[in-house]
Amino acid sequence: MIVVDSNVLAYLYLPGEYTTAAEELLEQDPDWVAPALWRSEFRNILAGYMRRKAISFEQANHLQREAESLLEGSEFEVDSLTVLELVRDSDCSAYDCEFVALAMKLDAKLVTMDRKLLRAFPNRAIALSGGYARSKARDRLASGVVAPEAQNKRRHPH
């Protein structure tokens, strides 16, 4: 299980520089979780794409539903005190600290490309492009474990 921030979801569904890394991550570790806040952040990302005319309203709606399907049953509330403590002890936003708080609550890693998060929480946050998927793949191959459920997870349409 890994906590993914909203940008990792965006990389999965909106083709770009980190799309391949996000796809590899999903294939290698398909148990993605996020705080409920991810929905609003993802909608805001889609809104930006719509305003720039990069995607249509229909495409945005479809991508939101796909992402909601991916995280169905994997959304969590986080403790406000924990979030505020993380904000106090870092220069990260409360929004970003929700993802860290969830990773702490679940004793999981947070996969992100947010430099502030990576600097402030080096023991909890890891970079999407930092080889997480490749290292998990090596672990799975070494143990003989395959992740067939990854085949059932839905990804962005190309």
Side-chain angles (χ1 to χ4, degrees):
M1 172 190 324
I2 54 172
V3 177
V4 294
D5 72 8
S6 302
N7 286 316
V8 172
L9 285 162
Y11 299 140
L12 182 67
Y13 289 102
L14 298 161
E17 180 180 1
Y18 299 110
T19 298
T20 299
E23 289 173 337
E24 288 175 1
L25 179 64
L26 182 64
E27 288 172 12
Q28 299 307 321
D29 199 339
D31 191 8
W32 288 17
V33 300
L37 168 72
W38 82 267
R39 288 176 180 248
S40 294
E41 288 193 339
F42 191 71
R43 281 190 291 261
N44 199 50
I45 292 166
L46 294 174
Y49 274 75
M50 284 191 317
R51 287 192 180 106
R52 290 188 303 277
K53 308 282 189 231
I55 61 173
S56 68
F57 171 81
E58 291 75 17
Q59 289 170 317
N61 185 43
H62 175 75
L63 293 172
Q64 182 70 35
R65 285 181 297 156
E66 286 287 318
E68 288 173 3
S69 175
L70 177 70
L71 287 176
E72 185 176 358
S74 300
E75 301 169 81
F76 296 86
E77 293 298 324
V78 292
D79 178 64
S80 294
L81 176 62
T82 303
V83 172
L84 292 173
E85 288 171 343
L86 293 167
V87 168
R88 177 195 65 203
D89 298 339
S90 73
D91 63 345
C92 298
S93 72
Y95 301 117
D96 288 341
C97 287
E98 286 203 24
F99 292 89
V100 177
L102 180 59
M104 291 170 57
K105 175 180 178 177
L106 300 176
D107 193 24
K109 292 293 185 183
L110 165 61
V111 180
T112 183
M113 285 302 292
D114 186 298
R115 289 186 187 134
K116 272 189 183 179
L117 284 171
L118 292 166
R119 273 193 309 272
F121 304 101
N123 295 327
R124 189 61 64 183
I126 56 175
L128 172 64
S129 65
Y132 178 81
R134 286 182 292 283
S135 89
K136 289 301 268 184
R138 281 192 300 272
D139 293 348
R140 287 183 194 275
L141 286 173
S143 67
V145 175
V146 220
E149 65 273 18
Q151 302 300 322
N152 298 328
K153 294 289 184 168
R154 299 177 65 120
R155 294 185 297 218
H156 66 85
H158 281 304

PDB file of all heavy atoms in Angstrom, residues 93-130:
ATOM      1  N   SER A  93       2.062  23.075   2.944  1.00  0.00           N
ATOM      2  CA  SER A  93       0.667  23.484   3.139  1.00  0.00           C
ATOM      3  C   SER A  93      -0.103  22.417   3.925  1.00  0.00           C
ATOM      4  O   SER A  93       0.301  21.254   3.987  1.00  0.00           O
ATOM      5  CB  SER A  93      -0.012  23.687   1.783  1.00  0.00           C
ATOM      6  OG  SER A  93      -0.232  22.436   1.151  1.00  0.00           O
ATOM      7  N   ALA A  94      -1.209  22.830   4.484  1.00  0.00           N
ATOM      8  CA  ALA A  94      -2.078  21.878   5.175  1.00  0.00           C
ATOM      9  C   ALA A  94      -2.588  20.825   4.198  1.00  0.00           C
ATOM     10  O   ALA A  94      -2.738  19.654   4.554  1.00  0.00           O
ATOM     11  CB  ALA A  94      -3.245  22.601   5.840  1.00  0.00           C
ATOM     12  N   TYR A  95      -2.837  21.239   2.963  1.00  0.00           N
ATOM     13  CA  TYR A  95      -3.285  20.286   1.942  1.00  0.00           C
ATOM     14  C   TYR A  95      -2.251  19.175   1.758  1.00  0.00           C
ATOM     15  O   TYR A  95      -2.573  17.984   1.780  1.00  0.00           O
ATOM     16  CB  TYR A  95      -3.517  20.980   0.588  1.00  0.00           C
ATOM     17  CG  TYR A  95      -4.534  22.086   0.616  1.00  0.00           C
ATOM     18  CD1 TYR A  95      -4.161  23.391   0.336  1.00  0.00           C
ATOM     19  CD2 TYR A  95      -5.871  21.827   0.907  1.00  0.00           C
ATOM     20  CE1 TYR A  95      -5.098  24.421   0.349  1.00  0.00           C
ATOM     21  CE2 TYR A  95      -6.808  22.850   0.925  1.00  0.00           C
ATOM     22  CZ  TYR A  95      -6.412  24.139   0.648  1.00  0.00           C
ATOM     23  OH  TYR A  95      -7.336  25.137   0.662  1.00  0.00           O
ATOM     24  N   ASP A  96      -0.997  19.578   1.568  1.00  0.00           N
ATOM     25  CA  ASP A  96       0.064  18.592   1.376  1.00  0.00           C
ATOM     26  C   ASP A  96       0.270  17.736   2.615  1.00  0.00           C
ATOM     27  O   ASP A  96       0.530  16.536   2.514  1.00  0.00           O
ATOM     28  CB  ASP A  96       1.378  19.280   0.989  1.00  0.00           C
ATOM     29  CG  ASP A  96       1.354  19.833  -0.417  1.00  0.00           C
ATOM     30  OD1 ASP A  96       0.498  19.404  -1.218  1.00  0.00           O
ATOM     31  OD2 ASP A  96       2.197  20.701  -0.718  1.00  0.00           O
ATOM     32  N   CYS A  97       0.141  18.348   3.773  1.00  0.00           N
ATOM     33  CA  CYS A  97       0.354  17.606   5.022  1.00  0.00           C
ATOM     34  C   CYS A  97      -0.723  16.553   5.266  1.00  0.00           C
ATOM     35  O   CYS A  97      -0.504  15.603   6.011  1.00  0.00           O
ATOM     36  CB  CYS A  97       0.475  18.570   6.204  1.00  0.00           C
ATOM     37  SG  CYS A  97       2.055  19.461   6.209  1.00  0.00           S
ATOM     38  N   GLU A  98      -1.886  16.697   4.623  1.00  0.00           N
ATOM     39  CA  GLU A  98      -2.903  15.644   4.740  1.00  0.00           C
ATOM     40  C   GLU A  98      -2.376  14.323   4.173  1.00  0.00           C
ATOM     41  O   GLU A  98      -2.633  13.253   4.730  1.00  0.00           O
ATOM     42  CB  GLU A  98      -4.194  16.042   4.024  1.00  0.00           C
ATOM     43  CG  GLU A  98      -4.975  17.079   4.776  1.00  0.00           C
ATOM     44  CD  GLU A  98      -6.448  17.085   4.427  1.00  0.00           C
ATOM     45  OE1 GLU A  98      -6.980  16.037   3.966  1.00  0.00           O
ATOM     46  OE2 GLU A  98      -7.080  18.128   4.637  1.00  0.00           O
ATOM     47  N   PHE A  99      -1.635  14.390   3.091  1.00  0.00           N
ATOM     48  CA  PHE A  99      -1.085  13.179   2.478  1.00  0.00           C
ATOM     49  C   PHE A  99      -0.019  12.559   3.391  1.00  0.00           C
ATOM     50  O   PHE A  99       0.041  11.341   3.543  1.00  0.00           O
ATOM     51  CB  PHE A  99      -0.518  13.501   1.090  1.00  0.00           C
ATOM     52  CG  PHE A  99      -1.587  13.869   0.095  1.00  0.00           C
ATOM     53  CD1 PHE A  99      -1.985  15.199  -0.046  1.00  0.00           C
ATOM     54  CD2 PHE A  99      -2.205  12.905  -0.681  1.00  0.00           C
ATOM     55  CE1 PHE A  99      -2.979  15.547  -0.946  1.00  0.00           C
ATOM     56  CE2 PHE A  99      -3.201  13.241  -1.587  1.00  0.00           C
ATOM     57  CZ  PHE A  99      -3.590  14.574  -1.713  1.00  0.00           C
ATOM     58  N   VAL A 100       0.803  13.408   4.007  1.00  0.00           N
ATOM     59  CA  VAL A 100       1.824  12.922   4.939  1.00  0.00           C
ATOM     60  C   VAL A 100       1.152  12.297   6.158  1.00  0.00           C
ATOM     61  O   VAL A 100       1.547  11.218   6.614  1.00  0.00           O
ATOM     62  CB  VAL A 100       2.770  14.067   5.372  1.00  0.00           C
ATOM     63  CG1 VAL A 100       3.784  13.562   6.395  1.00  0.00           C
ATOM     64  CG2 VAL A 100       3.474  14.670   4.173  1.00  0.00           C
ATOM     65  N   ALA A 101       0.129  12.955   6.683  1.00  0.00           N
ATOM     66  CA  ALA A 101      -0.587  12.437   7.853  1.00  0.00           C
ATOM     67  C   ALA A 101      -1.180  11.061   7.564  1.00  0.00           C
ATOM     68  O   ALA A 101      -1.130  10.159   8.408  1.00  0.00           O
ATOM     69  CB  ALA A 101      -1.684  13.415   8.281  1.00  0.00           C
ATOM     70  N   LEU A 102      -1.722  10.879   6.371  1.00  0.00           N
ATOM     71  CA  LEU A 102      -2.277   9.575   6.016  1.00  0.00           C
ATOM     72  C   LEU A 102      -1.177   8.526   5.914  1.00  0.00           C
ATOM     73  O   LEU A 102      -1.335   7.401   6.395  1.00  0.00           O
ATOM     74  CB  LEU A 102      -3.060   9.654   4.702  1.00  0.00           C
ATOM     75  CG  LEU A 102      -3.690   8.337   4.251  1.00  0.00           C
ATOM     76  CD1 LEU A 102      -4.657   7.792   5.308  1.00  0.00           C
ATOM     77  CD2 LEU A 102      -4.389   8.520   2.909  1.00  0.00           C
ATOM     78  N   ALA A 103      -0.062   8.899   5.309  1.00  0.00           N
ATOM     79  CA  ALA A 103       1.058   7.956   5.210  1.00  0.00           C
ATOM     80  C   ALA A 103       1.531   7.543   6.601  1.00  0.00           C
ATOM     81  O   ALA A 103       1.823   6.368   6.841  1.00  0.00           O
ATOM     82  CB  ALA A 103       2.201   8.577   4.410  1.00  0.00           C
ATOM     83  N   MET A 104       1.569   8.490   7.526  1.00  0.00           N
ATOM     84  CA  MET A 104       1.961   8.169   8.902  1.00  0.00           C
ATOM     85  C   MET A 104       0.919   7.251   9.561  1.00  0.00           C
ATOM     86  O   MET A 104       1.276   6.259  10.185  1.00  0.00           O
ATOM     87  CB  MET A 104       2.121   9.461   9.716  1.00  0.00           C
ATOM     88  CG  MET A 104       3.311  10.297   9.280  1.00  0.00           C
ATOM     89  SD  MET A 104       3.337  11.950  10.023  1.00  0.00           S
ATOM     90  CE  MET A 104       3.312  11.560  11.762  1.00  0.00           C
ATOM     91  N   LYS A 105      -0.344   7.586   9.391  1.00  0.00           N
ATOM     92  CA  LYS A 105      -1.440   6.803   9.984  1.00  0.00           C
ATOM     93  C   LYS A 105      -1.405   5.345   9.524  1.00  0.00           C
ATOM     94  O   LYS A 105      -1.635   4.426  10.311  1.00  0.00           O
ATOM     95  CB  LYS A 105      -2.776   7.453   9.599  1.00  0.00           C
ATOM     96  CG  LYS A 105      -4.017   6.708  10.040  1.00  0.00           C
ATOM     97  CD  LYS A 105      -5.256   7.471   9.581  1.00  0.00           C
ATOM     98  CE  LYS A 105      -6.533   6.762   9.940  1.00  0.00           C
ATOM     99  NZ  LYS A 105      -7.728   7.552   9.562  1.00  0.00           N
ATOM    100  N   LEU A 106      -1.087   5.146   8.242  1.00  0.00           N
ATOM    101  CA  LEU A 106      -1.094   3.801   7.661  1.00  0.00           C
ATOM    102  C   LEU A 106       0.291   3.162   7.641  1.00  0.00           C
ATOM    103  O   LEU A 106       0.446   2.053   7.148  1.00  0.00           O
ATOM    104  CB  LEU A 106      -1.657   3.862   6.243  1.00  0.00           C
ATOM    105  CG  LEU A 106      -3.081   4.389   6.110  1.00  0.00           C
ATOM    106  CD1 LEU A 106      -3.477   4.499   4.637  1.00  0.00           C
ATOM    107  CD2 LEU A 106      -4.057   3.527   6.874  1.00  0.00           C
ATOM    108  N   ASP A 107       1.284   3.868   8.171  1.00  0.00           N
ATOM    109  CA  ASP A 107       2.679   3.426   8.142  1.00  0.00           C
ATOM    110  C   ASP A 107       3.067   3.027   6.725  1.00  0.00           C
ATOM    111  O   ASP A 107       3.557   1.928   6.472  1.00  0.00           O
ATOM    112  CB  ASP A 107       2.929   2.280   9.124  1.00  0.00           C
ATOM    113  CG  ASP A 107       4.425   2.036   9.328  1.00  0.00           C
ATOM    114  OD1 ASP A 107       5.219   2.967   9.117  1.00  0.00           O
ATOM    115  OD2 ASP A 107       4.792   0.891   9.664  1.00  0.00           O
ATOM    116  N   ALA A 108       2.814   3.944   5.809  1.00  0.00           N
ATOM    117  CA  ALA A 108       3.083   3.717   4.393  1.00  0.00           C
ATOM    118  C   ALA A 108       3.965   4.848   3.871  1.00  0.00           C
ATOM    119  O   ALA A 108       4.177   5.853   4.546  1.00  0.00           O
ATOM    120  CB  ALA A 108       1.766   3.676   3.621  1.00  0.00           C
ATOM    121  N   LYS A 109       4.461   4.670   2.672  1.00  0.00           N
ATOM    122  CA  LYS A 109       5.216   5.721   1.999  1.00  0.00           C
ATOM    123  C   LYS A 109       4.259   6.608   1.208  1.00  0.00           C
ATOM    124  O   LYS A 109       3.222   6.154   0.739  1.00  0.00           O
ATOM    125  CB  LYS A 109       6.254   5.127   1.034  1.00  0.00           C
ATOM    126  CG  LYS A 109       7.377   4.395   1.729  1.00  0.00           C
ATOM    127  CD  LYS A 109       8.244   5.349   2.521  1.00  0.00           C
ATOM    128  CE  LYS A 109       9.437   4.615   3.117  1.00  0.00           C
ATOM    129  NZ  LYS A 109      10.252   5.497   3.949  1.00  0.00           N
ATOM    130  N   LEU A 110       4.628   7.870   1.090  1.00  0.00           N
ATOM    131  CA  LEU A 110       3.917   8.822   0.245  1.00  0.00           C
ATOM    132  C   LEU A 110       4.726   8.999  -1.023  1.00  0.00           C
ATOM    133  O   LEU A 110       5.895   9.380  -0.969  1.00  0.00           O
ATOM    134  CB  LEU A 110       3.769  10.172   0.963  1.00  0.00           C
ATOM    135  CG  LEU A 110       3.378  11.366   0.091  1.00  0.00           C
ATOM    136  CD1 LEU A 110       2.024  11.155  -0.573  1.00  0.00           C
ATOM    137  CD2 LEU A 110       3.384  12.640   0.917  1.00  0.00           C
ATOM    138  N   VAL A 111       4.117   8.709  -2.168  1.00  0.00           N
ATOM    139  CA  VAL A 111       4.789   8.895  -3.444  1.00  0.00           C
ATOM    140  C   VAL A 111       4.338  10.238  -4.012  1.00  0.00           C
ATOM    141  O   VAL A 111       3.135  10.498  -4.142  1.00  0.00           O
ATOM    142  CB  VAL A 111       4.487   7.747  -4.428  1.00  0.00           C
ATOM    143  CG1 VAL A 111       5.199   7.983  -5.754  1.00  0.00           C
ATOM    144  CG2 VAL A 111       4.906   6.410  -3.828  1.00  0.00           C
ATOM    145  N   THR A 112       5.311  11.073  -4.326  1.00  0.00           N
ATOM    146  CA  THR A 112       5.043  12.444  -4.755  1.00  0.00           C
ATOM    147  C   THR A 112       6.186  12.941  -5.621  1.00  0.00           C
ATOM    148  O   THR A 112       7.252  12.323  -5.652  1.00  0.00           O
ATOM    149  CB  THR A 112       4.871  13.363  -3.524  1.00  0.00           C
ATOM    150  OG1 THR A 112       4.532  14.680  -3.956  1.00  0.00           O
ATOM    151  CG2 THR A 112       6.130  13.405  -2.670  1.00  0.00           C
ATOM    152  N   MET A 113       5.965  14.040  -6.290  1.00  0.00           N
ATOM    153  CA  MET A 113       7.053  14.754  -6.953  1.00  0.00           C
ATOM    154  C   MET A 113       7.180  16.153  -6.368  1.00  0.00           C
ATOM    155  O   MET A 113       7.917  16.981  -6.885  1.00  0.00           O
ATOM    156  CB  MET A 113       6.807  14.828  -8.470  1.00  0.00           C
ATOM    157  CG  MET A 113       7.056  13.519  -9.195  1.00  0.00           C
ATOM    158  SD  MET A 113       8.721  12.871  -8.984  1.00  0.00           S
ATOM    159  CE  MET A 113       9.676  14.091  -9.873  1.00  0.00           C
ATOM    160  N   ASP A 114       6.490  16.412  -5.271  1.00  0.00           N
ATOM    161  CA  ASP A 114       6.514  17.712  -4.605  1.00  0.00           C
ATOM    162  C   ASP A 114       7.835  17.880  -3.851  1.00  0.00           C
ATOM    163  O   ASP A 114       8.093  17.163  -2.879  1.00  0.00           O
ATOM    164  CB  ASP A 114       5.317  17.819  -3.651  1.00  0.00           C
ATOM    165  CG  ASP A 114       5.187  19.191  -3.041  1.00  0.00           C
ATOM    166  OD1 ASP A 114       6.121  19.613  -2.323  1.00  0.00           O
ATOM    167  OD2 ASP A 114       4.147  19.828  -3.251  1.00  0.00           O
ATOM    168  N   ARG A 115       8.649  18.811  -4.297  1.00  0.00           N
ATOM    169  CA  ARG A 115       9.985  18.993  -3.701  1.00  0.00           C
ATOM    170  C   ARG A 115       9.924  19.371  -2.229  1.00  0.00           C
ATOM    171  O   ARG A 115      10.754  18.922  -1.438  1.00  0.00           O
ATOM    172  CB  ARG A 115      10.765  20.044  -4.479  1.00  0.00           C
ATOM    173  CG  ARG A 115      11.190  19.556  -5.840  1.00  0.00           C
ATOM    174  CD  ARG A 115      12.094  20.566  -6.523  1.00  0.00           C
ATOM    175  NE  ARG A 115      12.336  20.144  -7.887  1.00  0.00           N
ATOM    176  CZ  ARG A 115      12.273  20.941  -8.931  1.00  0.00           C
ATOM    177  NH1 ARG A 115      11.991  22.207  -8.772  1.00  0.00           N
ATOM    178  NH2 ARG A 115      12.505  20.470 -10.131  1.00  0.00           N
ATOM    179  N   LYS A 116       8.953  20.215  -1.866  1.00  0.00           N
ATOM    180  CA  LYS A 116       8.832  20.602  -0.450  1.00  0.00           C
ATOM    181  C   LYS A 116       8.550  19.387   0.423  1.00  0.00           C
ATOM    182  O   LYS A 116       9.142  19.222   1.478  1.00  0.00           O
ATOM    183  CB  LYS A 116       7.699  21.625  -0.266  1.00  0.00           C
ATOM    184  CG  LYS A 116       8.098  23.047  -0.446  1.00  0.00           C
ATOM    185  CD  LYS A 116       6.940  23.932  -0.014  1.00  0.00           C
ATOM    186  CE  LYS A 116       7.251  25.379  -0.245  1.00  0.00           C
ATOM    187  NZ  LYS A 116       6.127  26.237   0.157  1.00  0.00           N
ATOM    188  N   LEU A 117       7.639  18.544  -0.023  1.00  0.00           N
ATOM    189  CA  LEU A 117       7.314  17.330   0.739  1.00  0.00           C
ATOM    190  C   LEU A 117       8.510  16.394   0.819  1.00  0.00           C
ATOM    191  O   LEU A 117       8.798  15.823   1.873  1.00  0.00           O
ATOM    192  CB  LEU A 117       6.124  16.600   0.118  1.00  0.00           C
ATOM    193  CG  LEU A 117       4.748  17.184   0.367  1.00  0.00           C
ATOM    194  CD1 LEU A 117       3.704  16.477  -0.480  1.00  0.00           C
ATOM    195  CD2 LEU A 117       4.390  17.109   1.842  1.00  0.00           C
ATOM    196  N   LEU A 118       9.198  16.239  -0.293  1.00  0.00           N
ATOM    197  CA  LEU A 118      10.362  15.346  -0.319  1.00  0.00           C
ATOM    198  C   LEU A 118      11.458  15.831   0.617  1.00  0.00           C
ATOM    199  O   LEU A 118      12.103  15.025   1.299  1.00  0.00           O
ATOM    200  CB  LEU A 118      10.883  15.205  -1.748  1.00  0.00           C
ATOM    201  CG  LEU A 118       9.958  14.468  -2.718  1.00  0.00           C
ATOM    202  CD1 LEU A 118      10.407  14.673  -4.158  1.00  0.00           C
ATOM    203  CD2 LEU A 118       9.869  12.996  -2.369  1.00  0.00           C
ATOM    204  N   ARG A 119      11.652  17.152   0.689  1.00  0.00           N
ATOM    205  CA  ARG A 119      12.667  17.717   1.589  1.00  0.00           C
ATOM    206  C   ARG A 119      12.233  17.662   3.048  1.00  0.00           C
ATOM    207  O   ARG A 119      13.018  17.326   3.931  1.00  0.00           O
ATOM    208  CB  ARG A 119      12.963  19.172   1.220  1.00  0.00           C
ATOM    209  CG  ARG A 119      14.019  19.335   0.159  1.00  0.00           C
ATOM    210  CD  ARG A 119      14.504  20.776   0.068  1.00  0.00           C
ATOM    211  NE  ARG A 119      13.434  21.749  -0.062  1.00  0.00           N
ATOM    212  CZ  ARG A 119      12.899  22.154  -1.217  1.00  0.00           C
ATOM    213  NH1 ARG A 119      13.355  21.658  -2.343  1.00  0.00           N
ATOM    214  NH2 ARG A 119      11.938  23.040  -1.242  1.00  0.00           N
ATOM    215  N   ALA A 120      10.974  18.013   3.311  1.00  0.00           N
ATOM    216  CA  ALA A 120      10.486  18.112   4.688  1.00  0.00           C
ATOM    217  C   ALA A 120      10.272  16.748   5.343  1.00  0.00           C
ATOM    218  O   ALA A 120      10.393  16.630   6.569  1.00  0.00           O
ATOM    219  CB  ALA A 120       9.182  18.914   4.731  1.00  0.00           C
ATOM    220  N   PHE A 121       9.952  15.744   4.550  1.00  0.00           N
ATOM    221  CA  PHE A 121       9.609  14.426   5.099  1.00  0.00           C
ATOM    222  C   PHE A 121      10.381  13.315   4.378  1.00  0.00           C
ATOM    223  O   PHE A 121       9.773  12.409   3.781  1.00  0.00           O
ATOM    224  CB  PHE A 121       8.098  14.195   5.012  1.00  0.00           C
ATOM    225  CG  PHE A 121       7.301  15.267   5.697  1.00  0.00           C
ATOM    226  CD1 PHE A 121       6.702  16.282   4.955  1.00  0.00           C
ATOM    227  CD2 PHE A 121       7.191  15.298   7.073  1.00  0.00           C
ATOM    228  CE1 PHE A 121       5.984  17.294   5.585  1.00  0.00           C
ATOM    229  CE2 PHE A 121       6.472  16.302   7.714  1.00  0.00           C
ATOM    230  CZ  PHE A 121       5.864  17.305   6.972  1.00  0.00           C
ATOM    231  N   PRO A 122      11.705  13.347   4.451  1.00  0.00           N
ATOM    232  CA  PRO A 122      12.514  12.377   3.686  1.00  0.00           C
ATOM    233  C   PRO A 122      12.327  10.925   4.122  1.00  0.00           C
ATOM    234  O   PRO A 122      12.594  10.012   3.341  1.00  0.00           O
ATOM    235  CB  PRO A 122      13.951  12.847   3.923  1.00  0.00           C
ATOM    236  CG  PRO A 122      13.897  13.586   5.225  1.00  0.00           C
ATOM    237  CD  PRO A 122      12.539  14.240   5.250  1.00  0.00           C
ATOM    238  N   ASN A 123      11.850  10.703   5.331  1.00  0.00           N
ATOM    239  CA  ASN A 123      11.640   9.329   5.797  1.00  0.00           C
ATOM    240  C   ASN A 123      10.259   8.791   5.430  1.00  0.00           C
ATOM    241  O   ASN A 123       9.991   7.605   5.601  1.00  0.00           O
ATOM    242  CB  ASN A 123      11.833   9.235   7.310  1.00  0.00           C
ATOM    243  CG  ASN A 123      13.255   9.537   7.707  1.00  0.00           C
ATOM    244  OD1 ASN A 123      14.196   9.229   6.966  1.00  0.00           O
ATOM    245  ND2 ASN A 123      13.431  10.161   8.853  1.00  0.00           N
ATOM    246  N   ARG A 124       9.386   9.668   4.943  1.00  0.00           N
ATOM    247  CA  ARG A 124       8.022   9.258   4.630  1.00  0.00           C
ATOM    248  C   ARG A 124       7.705   9.440   3.147  1.00  0.00           C
ATOM    249  O   ARG A 124       6.983   8.643   2.559  1.00  0.00           O
ATOM    250  CB  ARG A 124       7.049  10.081   5.488  1.00  0.00           C
ATOM    251  CG  ARG A 124       5.626   9.643   5.457  1.00  0.00           C
ATOM    252  CD  ARG A 124       5.376   8.249   5.958  1.00  0.00           C
ATOM    253  NE  ARG A 124       5.683   8.064   7.357  1.00  0.00           N
ATOM    254  CZ  ARG A 124       5.594   6.908   7.985  1.00  0.00           C
ATOM    255  NH1 ARG A 124       5.163   5.841   7.352  1.00  0.00           N
ATOM    256  NH2 ARG A 124       5.931   6.782   9.246  1.00  0.00           N
ATOM    257  N   ALA A 125       8.232  10.505   2.547  1.00  0.00           N
ATOM    258  CA  ALA A 125       7.924  10.818   1.151  1.00  0.00           C
ATOM    259  C   ALA A 125       9.048  10.341   0.235  1.00  0.00           C
ATOM    260  O   ALA A 125      10.222  10.510   0.545  1.00  0.00           O
ATOM    261  CB  ALA A 125       7.723  12.325   0.998  1.00  0.00           C
ATOM    262  N   ILE A 126       8.649   9.731  -0.874  1.00  0.00           N
ATOM    263  CA  ILE A 126       9.628   9.297  -1.874  1.00  0.00           C
ATOM    264  C   ILE A 126       9.187   9.794  -3.246  1.00  0.00           C
ATOM    265  O   ILE A 126       7.997   9.934  -3.511  1.00  0.00           O
ATOM    266  CB  ILE A 126       9.812   7.761  -1.880  1.00  0.00           C
ATOM    267  CG1 ILE A 126       8.478   7.049  -2.108  1.00  0.00           C
ATOM    268  CG2 ILE A 126      10.473   7.284  -0.611  1.00  0.00           C
ATOM    269  CD1 ILE A 126       8.616   5.560  -2.239  1.00  0.00           C
ATOM    270  N   ALA A 127      10.176  10.050  -4.079  1.00  0.00           N
ATOM    271  CA  ALA A 127       9.895  10.604  -5.405  1.00  0.00           C
ATOM    272  C   ALA A 127       9.374   9.535  -6.351  1.00  0.00           C
ATOM    273  O   ALA A 127       9.903   8.426  -6.395  1.00  0.00           O
ATOM    274  CB  ALA A 127      11.152  11.234  -5.975  1.00  0.00           C
ATOM    275  N   LEU A 128       8.356   9.880  -7.113  1.00  0.00           N
ATOM    276  CA  LEU A 128       7.821   8.987  -8.138  1.00  0.00           C
ATOM    277  C   LEU A 128       8.922   8.580  -9.100  1.00  0.00           C
ATOM    278  O   LEU A 128       9.039   7.417  -9.459  1.00  0.00           O
ATOM    279  CB  LEU A 128       6.683   9.683  -8.892  1.00  0.00           C
ATOM    280  CG  LEU A 128       6.141   8.972 -10.126  1.00  0.00           C
ATOM    281  CD1 LEU A 128       5.508   7.637  -9.745  1.00  0.00           C
ATOM    282  CD2 LEU A 128       5.143   9.850 -10.841  1.00  0.00           C
ATOM    283  N   SER A 129       9.739   9.523  -9.491  1.00  0.00           N
ATOM    284  CA  SER A 129      10.789   9.232 -10.465  1.00  0.00           C
ATOM    285  C   SER A 129      12.028   8.627  -9.819  1.00  0.00           C
ATOM    286  O   SER A 129      12.993   8.340 -10.505  1.00  0.00           O
ATOM    287  CB  SER A 129      11.182  10.506 -11.211  1.00  0.00           C
ATOM    288  OG  SER A 129      11.775  11.418 -10.307  1.00  0.00           O
ATOM    289  N   GLY A 130      11.977   8.415  -8.509  1.00  0.00           N
ATOM    290  CA  GLY A 130      13.148   7.919  -7.794  1.00  0.00           C
ATOM    291  C   GLY A 130      13.323   6.419  -7.822  1.00  0.00           C
ATOM    292  O   GLY A 130      14.101   5.869  -7.062  1.00  0.00           O
TER     293      GLY A 130
END
